[in-house]
Amino acid sequence: MLKVENVCTYYGQICALDNVSMMVEEKEAVSVIGANGAGKSTLLKTIIGDLRPKSGNIQLSGKSIIKEKTFKLVSRGMTLVPEGRHVFPLLSVWDNLLLGGYTLPAKDRQQRAEEVTEPFPILRERKDQQAGLLSGGEQQMLAIARAMMTKPKLLLLDEPSMGLSPKLVFEVYDKITELHQQGTTILLVDQNAEMAIDFCSRGYVLMAGRLAGQGTKNALKESEIVQRSYLG
Ligand code: ATP
């Protein structure tokens, strides 16, 4: 479904992704783990068209997307839940959801907002409140539900556990697991290696912009580099 081939992404002179290749098959749950500054967000931003790679190629369902605009990629079935959630704090919860459905015909957005909030009853209860008044965990749920508005086939999640208490991290991962079980293909990056590996069927390790390992969930858990650097 998604194929990243030998991608190099720079910020000016700084190389943030160095020859990274990875793939996600349809219906898979794939995680990328790595420390602060490893290049995880850069990878997702490059995939979604927010950054352009200097070299390499990215294919979505067999077609190169490295020149495609982000809004077109959303229409083609890929959405990103950004690091830090980025809900619109002064807008209501419901209006945040409706904005997430901007590529849908206007008449369908209310109905879709009803559908995406089914797994998130708290968002229905608080639909008229300003999104900025939600707790961190609730804002993460809102960011995920908002991304689901366009019925993505591939959902990209950047650090879904960031800034959340351990209890909320479990709740957020439970919801992501539910979305995966309902058929959404998921690629997530997280510093929380334990949660990210438990969630995935397969994963990658990024270190200083390079791939330092990859494998199935069990292979990752047992790998020396993961044990030493991320699982203590
Ligand atoms: P974190 O978990 O802290 O977000 P990350 O793994 O997502 O880390 P990136 O944000 O992708 O890492 O950053 C990768 C590298 O690129 C880091 O060295 C970072 O300092 C650098 N970098 C990121 N954004 C920029 C930018 N806008 N300009 C210059 N350098 C940047």
Side-chain angles (χ1 to χ4, degrees):
M1 179 174 221
L2 178 77
K3 203 169 181 187
V4 175
E5 296 171 292
N6 307 108
V7 160
C8 297
T9 302
Y10 282 71
Y11 295 101
Q13 301 292 314
I14 300 167
C15 176
L17 288 183
D18 185 2
N19 209 27
V20 170
S21 297
M22 52 140 347
M23 61 188 294
V24 181
E25 304 275 15
E26 209 172 326
K27 307 282 186 213
E28 263 196 314
V30 175
S31 294
V32 177
I33 61 167
N36 238 322
K40 305 181 300 299
S41 296
T42 303
L43 175 64
L44 293 190
K45 286 179 185 166
T46 306
I47 292 170
I48 200 76
D50 197 17
L51 293 170
R52 295 291 177 207
K54 191 169 180 182
S55 58
N57 196 15
I58 304 175
Q59 291 181 37
L60 182 65
S61 306
K63 286 194 184 145
S64 176
I65 55 168
I66 47 169
K67 294 202 172 115
E68 200 76 281
K69 295 209 165 58
T70 302
F71 75 90
K72 290 246 170 88
L73 294 175
V74 172
S75 300
R76 285 184 55 187
M78 185 160 68
T79 54
L80 169 69
V81 182
E83 179 176 350
R85 306 176 283 257
H86 294 280
V87 301
F88 299 102
L90 300 179
L91 295 185
S92 70
V93 166
W94 209 252
D95 283 345
N96 267 271
L97 291 170
L98 298 181
L99 272 175
Y102 74 103
T103 57
L104 303 176
K107 66 177 178 42
D108 297 341
R109 290 178 200 158
Q110 293 287 348
Q111 170 64 28
R112 183 63 189 152
E114 295 287 348
E115 287 165 14
V116 297
T117 49
E118 203 159 300
F120 304 105
I122 188 73
L123 299 180
R124 287 185 176 176
E125 280 166 34
R126 305 186 64 177
K127 62 188 283 203
D128 297 322
Q129 279 187 17
Q130 285 184 341
L133 299 176
L134 299 178
S135 72
E138 289 160 355
Q139 287 189 23
Q140 185 67 62
M141 307 288 190
L142 174 57
I144 294 170
R146 182 180 59 185
M148 292 304 292
M149 283 290 291
T150 50
K151 303 186 185 173
K153 293 188 197 79
L154 175 58
L155 182 65
L156 311 176
L157 291 138
D158 194 345
E159 301 271 357
S161 69
M162 196 177 86
L164 303 182
S165 67
K167 180 173 171 279
L168 284 176
V169 170
F170 278 113
E171 278 180 30
V172 166
Y173 266 90
D174 273 352
K175 296 297 177 192
I176 300 171
T177 303
E178 213 175 302
L179 294 176
H180 175 243
Q181 285 165 352
Q182 287 163 4
T184 309
T185 308
I186 293 186
L187 170 62
L188 73 78
V189 310
D190 212 324
Q191 272 187 57
N192 188 330
E194 210 169 331
M195 291 303 295
I197 293 175
D198 266 343
F199 162 75
C200 75
S201 46
R202 218 161 50 71
Y204 297 86
V205 184
L206 257 186
M207 272 185 167
R210 292 184 178 193
L211 270 191
Q214 58 179 294
T216 60
K217 181 209 297 263
N218 288 338
L220 280 180
K221 275 187 180 169
E222 283 158 23
S223 96
E224 201 191 318
I225 192 164
V226 173
Q227 295 261 355
R228 186 164 23 92
S229 308
Y230 302 104
L231 300 181

Coordinates of all heavy atoms in Angstrom, one line a residue, residues 135-182:
S135 N -9.1 17.6 28.0 CA -7.9 17.1 28.5 C -7.0 16.7 27.3 O -7.4 16.5 26.2 CB -8.1 15.9 29.4 OG -8.4 14.8 28.7
G136 N -5.7 16.5 27.7 CA -4.7 16.0 26.6 C -5.2 14.7 25.9 O -5.1 14.6 24.7
G137 N -5.7 13.8 26.7 CA -6.1 12.5 26.2 C -7.3 12.7 25.3 O -7.4 12.1 24.2
E138 N -8.3 13.6 25.7 CA -9.5 13.8 24.9 C -9.1 14.5 23.6 O -9.7 14.3 22.6 CB -10.5 14.6 25.8 CG -11.1 13.8 26.9 CD -11.7 14.7 28.0 OE1 -11.5 15.9 28.0 OE2 -12.2 14.1 29.0
Q139 N -8.2 15.4 23.7 CA -7.7 16.1 22.5 C -7.1 15.1 21.5 O -7.3 15.3 20.3 CB -6.7 17.2 22.8 CG -7.4 18.4 23.5 CD -6.5 19.6 23.6 OE1 -5.5 19.8 22.9 NE2 -6.8 20.5 24.6
Q140 N -6.4 14.2 22.1 CA -5.8 13.1 21.2 C -6.9 12.3 20.5 O -6.8 12.0 19.3 CB -4.8 12.2 22.0 CG -4.1 11.2 21.1 CD -3.1 11.9 20.2 OE1 -2.2 12.5 20.6 NE2 -3.3 11.7 18.9
M141 N -7.9 12.0 21.3 CA -9.1 11.3 20.7 C -9.7 12.1 19.6 O -10.1 11.6 18.5 CB -10.1 11.0 21.8 CG -9.6 10.3 23.0 SD -9.2 8.5 22.7 CE -9.0 8.0 24.4
L142 N -9.8 13.4 19.9 CA -10.5 14.3 18.9 C -9.6 14.4 17.6 O -10.1 14.3 16.5 CB -10.6 15.7 19.5 CG -11.1 16.8 18.5 CD1 -12.5 16.4 17.9 CD2 -11.3 18.2 19.3
A143 N -8.3 14.5 17.8 CA -7.4 14.6 16.6 C -7.5 13.3 15.8 O -7.5 13.3 14.5 CB -6.0 14.8 17.1
I144 N -7.7 12.1 16.5 CA -7.8 10.9 15.7 C -9.2 10.8 15.0 O -9.2 10.5 13.8 CB -7.6 9.7 16.7 CG1 -6.2 9.6 17.2 CG2 -8.0 8.4 16.0 CD1 -6.0 8.6 18.4
A145 N -10.2 11.2 15.8 CA -11.6 11.2 15.1 C -11.6 12.1 14.0 O -12.2 11.8 12.9 CB -12.6 11.5 16.2
R146 N -11.0 13.3 14.1 CA -11.0 14.3 13.0 C -10.3 13.7 11.8 O -10.7 13.9 10.7 CB -10.3 15.5 13.5 CG -10.2 16.7 12.5 CD -9.5 17.9 13.0 NE -8.1 17.6 13.4 CZ -7.3 18.4 14.0 NH1 -7.7 19.6 14.3 NH2 -6.0 18.1 14.3
A147 N -9.2 13.0 12.0 CA -8.5 12.4 10.9 C -9.3 11.3 10.2 O -9.1 11.0 9.1 CB -7.1 11.8 11.4
M148 N -10.2 10.6 11.0 CA -11.0 9.6 10.4 C -12.2 10.1 9.6 O -12.9 9.3 8.9 CB -11.6 8.7 11.6 CG -10.6 7.8 12.3 SD -9.6 6.8 11.2 CE -10.8 5.6 10.7
M149 N -12.4 11.4 9.7 CA -13.6 12.0 8.9 C -13.5 11.7 7.5 O -14.6 11.5 6.8 CB -13.6 13.5 9.1 CG -14.1 14.0 10.5 SD -15.9 13.7 10.7 CE -16.6 14.9 9.5
T150 N -12.3 11.6 6.9 CA -12.2 11.4 5.4 C -12.2 9.9 5.1 O -11.8 9.6 4.0 CB -11.0 12.1 4.9 OG1 -9.9 11.8 5.7 CG2 -11.2 13.6 4.9
K151 N -12.5 9.1 6.0 CA -12.4 7.6 5.8 C -11.1 7.1 5.2 O -11.1 6.5 4.2 CB -13.6 7.2 4.8 CG -14.9 7.5 5.3 CD -16.0 6.9 4.4 CE -17.3 7.4 4.8 NZ -18.4 7.1 3.9
P152 N -10.0 7.5 5.9 CA -8.7 7.1 5.4 C -8.5 5.6 5.3 O -9.0 4.8 6.2 CB -7.7 7.7 6.4 CG -8.5 7.8 7.7 CD -9.9 8.1 7.3
K153 N -7.8 5.1 4.3 CA -7.4 3.7 4.2 C -6.1 3.6 5.0 O -5.9 2.5 5.6 CB -7.2 3.3 2.8 CG -8.4 3.3 1.9 CD -8.1 2.7 0.6 CE -9.2 3.1 -0.4 NZ -9.1 4.4 -1.0
L154 N -5.3 4.6 5.0 CA -4.0 4.6 5.7 C -4.0 5.8 6.7 O -4.1 6.9 6.2 CB -2.9 4.7 4.7 CG -1.5 4.8 5.3 CD1 -1.2 3.6 6.3 CD2 -0.4 4.8 4.2
L155 N -3.9 5.5 8.0 CA -3.9 6.5 9.0 C -2.4 6.6 9.5 O -1.9 5.6 10.0 CB -4.8 6.1 10.1 CG -5.0 7.1 11.3 CD1 -5.6 8.5 10.8 CD2 -5.9 6.6 12.4
L156 N -1.9 7.8 9.5 CA -0.5 8.0 10.0 C -0.7 8.7 11.3 O -1.4 9.7 11.5 CB 0.3 9.0 9.1 CG 0.3 8.6 7.6 CD1 1.1 9.7 6.8 CD2 0.9 7.3 7.4
L157 N 0.0 8.2 12.4 CA -0.1 8.8 13.7 C 1.3 9.2 14.2 O 2.2 8.4 14.3 CB -0.7 7.8 14.7 CG -2.2 7.5 14.5 CD1 -2.4 6.0 14.6 CD2 -3.1 8.3 15.4
D158 N 1.4 10.5 14.6 CA 2.7 11.0 15.1 C 2.6 11.1 16.6 O 1.9 12.0 17.1 CB 3.0 12.3 14.4 CG 4.5 12.7 14.6 OD1 5.2 12.1 15.5 OD2 5.0 13.6 13.9
E159 N 3.4 10.3 17.3 CA 3.5 10.3 18.8 C 2.1 10.4 19.5 O 1.9 11.4 20.3 CB 4.3 11.6 19.2 CG 5.7 11.6 18.7 CD 6.7 10.9 19.5 OE1 6.4 10.4 20.6 OE2 7.9 10.9 19.1
P160 N 1.3 9.4 19.3 CA 0.0 9.5 20.0 C 0.0 9.5 21.5 O -0.9 9.9 22.1 CB -0.7 8.2 19.4 CG 0.3 7.3 18.9 CD 1.4 8.2 18.5
S161 N 1.2 9.1 22.1 CA 1.2 9.0 23.5 C 1.9 10.2 24.1 O 1.9 10.4 25.4 CB 2.1 7.8 23.9 OG 3.4 8.0 23.6
M162 N 2.2 11.2 23.3 CA 3.0 12.3 23.8 C 2.2 13.1 24.9 O 1.1 13.5 24.7 CB 3.4 13.3 22.7 CG 4.5 14.2 23.1 SD 5.0 15.3 21.7 CE 3.7 16.6 21.9
G163 N 2.9 13.3 26.0 CA 2.3 14.2 27.1 C 1.2 13.6 27.8 O 0.5 14.3 28.6
L164 N 0.9 12.3 27.6 CA -0.3 11.7 28.3 C 0.2 10.8 29.5 O 1.3 10.2 29.5 CB -1.0 10.8 27.3 CG -1.6 11.5 26.1 CD1 -2.4 10.5 25.2 CD2 -2.4 12.7 26.4
S165 N -0.7 10.8 30.5 CA -0.4 9.9 31.6 C -0.5 8.4 31.2 O -1.2 8.1 30.2 CB -1.5 10.1 32.7 OG -2.7 9.7 32.2
P166 N 0.2 7.5 31.9 CA 0.2 6.1 31.5 C -1.2 5.6 31.2 O -1.5 4.8 30.2 CB 0.8 5.4 32.6 CG 1.7 6.4 33.2 CD 1.0 7.7 33.1
K167 N -2.2 5.9 32.1 CA -3.6 5.4 31.9 C -4.2 5.9 30.6 O -4.8 5.1 29.8 CB -4.4 5.9 33.1 CG -5.8 5.5 33.0 CD -6.6 5.9 34.3 CE -8.1 5.6 34.2 NZ -8.8 6.6 33.5
L168 N -3.9 7.2 30.3 CA -4.5 7.7 29.0 C -3.8 7.1 27.8 O -4.4 7.0 26.7 CB -4.4 9.2 29.0 CG -5.4 9.9 29.9 CD1 -5.2 11.5 29.9 CD2 -6.8 9.7 29.4
V169 N -2.5 6.9 28.0 CA -1.7 6.2 26.8 C -2.4 4.9 26.5 O -2.6 4.6 25.3 CB -0.2 6.0 27.2 CG1 0.5 5.2 26.2 CG2 0.5 7.3 27.4
F170 N -2.8 4.1 27.5 CA -3.4 2.8 27.2 C -4.8 3.1 26.5 O -5.1 2.4 25.6 CB -3.7 2.1 28.6 CG -2.4 1.3 29.0 CD1 -1.7 1.7 30.1 CD2 -1.9 0.2 28.2 CE1 -0.6 1.0 30.5 CE2 -0.8 -0.4 28.6 CZ -0.1 -0.1 29.8
E171 N -5.5 4.1 27.0 CA -6.8 4.3 26.4 C -6.7 4.7 25.0 O -7.4 4.3 24.1 CB -7.5 5.5 27.2 CG -8.2 5.0 28.4 CD -8.9 6.1 29.2 OE1 -9.3 7.1 28.6 OE2 -9.0 6.0 30.4
V172 N -5.7 5.6 24.7 CA -5.5 6.0 23.3 C -5.1 4.8 22.4 O -5.7 4.6 21.3 CB -4.4 7.2 23.2 CG1 -4.0 7.4 21.8 CG2 -5.0 8.5 23.8
Y173 N -4.2 4.0 22.9 CA -3.8 2.9 22.1 C -4.9 1.9 21.9 O -5.0 1.2 20.9 CB -2.5 2.2 22.7 CG -1.3 2.7 22.1 CD1 -0.6 3.8 22.6 CD2 -0.7 2.1 20.9 CE1 0.6 4.3 22.0 CE2 0.4 2.6 20.4 CZ 1.1 3.7 20.9 OH 2.2 4.2 20.3
D174 N -5.8 1.8 22.9 CA -7.0 0.9 22.8 C -7.8 1.3 21.6 O -8.3 0.5 20.8 CB -7.8 0.9 24.0 CG -7.4 -0.1 25.1 OD1 -6.5 -0.9 24.8 OD2 -7.9 0.0 26.2
K175 N -8.0 2.7 21.5 CA -8.8 3.2 20.4 C -8.2 3.0 19.1 O -8.8 2.6 18.1 CB -9.1 4.7 20.6 CG -9.9 5.0 21.8 CD -11.3 4.4 21.8 CE -12.1 4.7 23.1 NZ -13.3 4.0 23.2
I176 N -6.8 3.2 19.0 CA -6.1 3.0 17.8 C -6.2 1.5 17.3 O -6.4 1.2 16.2 CB -4.6 3.4 17.9 CG1 -4.5 4.9 18.3 CG2 -3.9 3.2 16.6 CD1 -3.1 5.3 18.7
T177 N -6.1 0.6 18.3 CA -6.2 -0.8 18.0 C -7.6 -1.1 17.5 O -7.8 -1.9 16.5 CB -6.0 -1.6 19.3 OG1 -4.7 -1.3 19.8 CG2 -6.0 -3.1 19.1
E178 N -8.6 -0.5 18.1 CA -10.0 -0.7 17.6 C -10.1 -0.3 16.1 O -10.7 -1.0 15.3 CB -10.9 0.2 18.5 CG -12.3 -0.4 18.7 CD -13.1 0.5 19.7 OE1 -12.6 0.7 20.8 OE2 -14.1 1.0 19.3
L179 N -9.6 0.9 15.8 CA -9.7 1.4 14.4 C -8.9 0.4 13.5 O -9.4 0.1 12.4 CB -9.0 2.8 14.3 CG -9.7 3.9 15.0 CD1 -9.0 5.2 14.9 CD2 -11.2 4.1 14.5
H180 N -7.8 -0.1 13.9 CA -7.1 -1.1 13.1 C -7.9 -2.3 12.9 O -8.1 -2.9 11.8 CB -5.7 -1.4 13.7 CG -5.0 -2.5 13.0 ND1 -4.7 -3.7 13.5 CD2 -4.6 -2.5 11.7 CE1 -4.1 -4.4 12.6 NE2 -4.0 -3.7 11.5
Q181 N -8.6 -2.8 14.0 CA -9.4 -4.0 13.9 C -10.6 -3.8 13.0 O -11.1 -4.8 12.4 CB -9.8 -4.5 15.3 CG -8.7 -5.2 16.0 CD -9.0 -5.3 17.5 OE1 -9.9 -4.8 18.0 NE2 -8.1 -6.0 18.2
Q182 N -11.0 -2.6 12.9 CA -12.2 -2.3 12.0 C -11.7 -2.1 10.5 O -12.5 -1.8 9.7 CB -12.9 -1.0 12.4 CG -13.7 -1.3 13.7 CD -14.1 0.0 14.4 OE1 -13.8 1.1 13.9 NE2 -14.7 -0.1 15.5

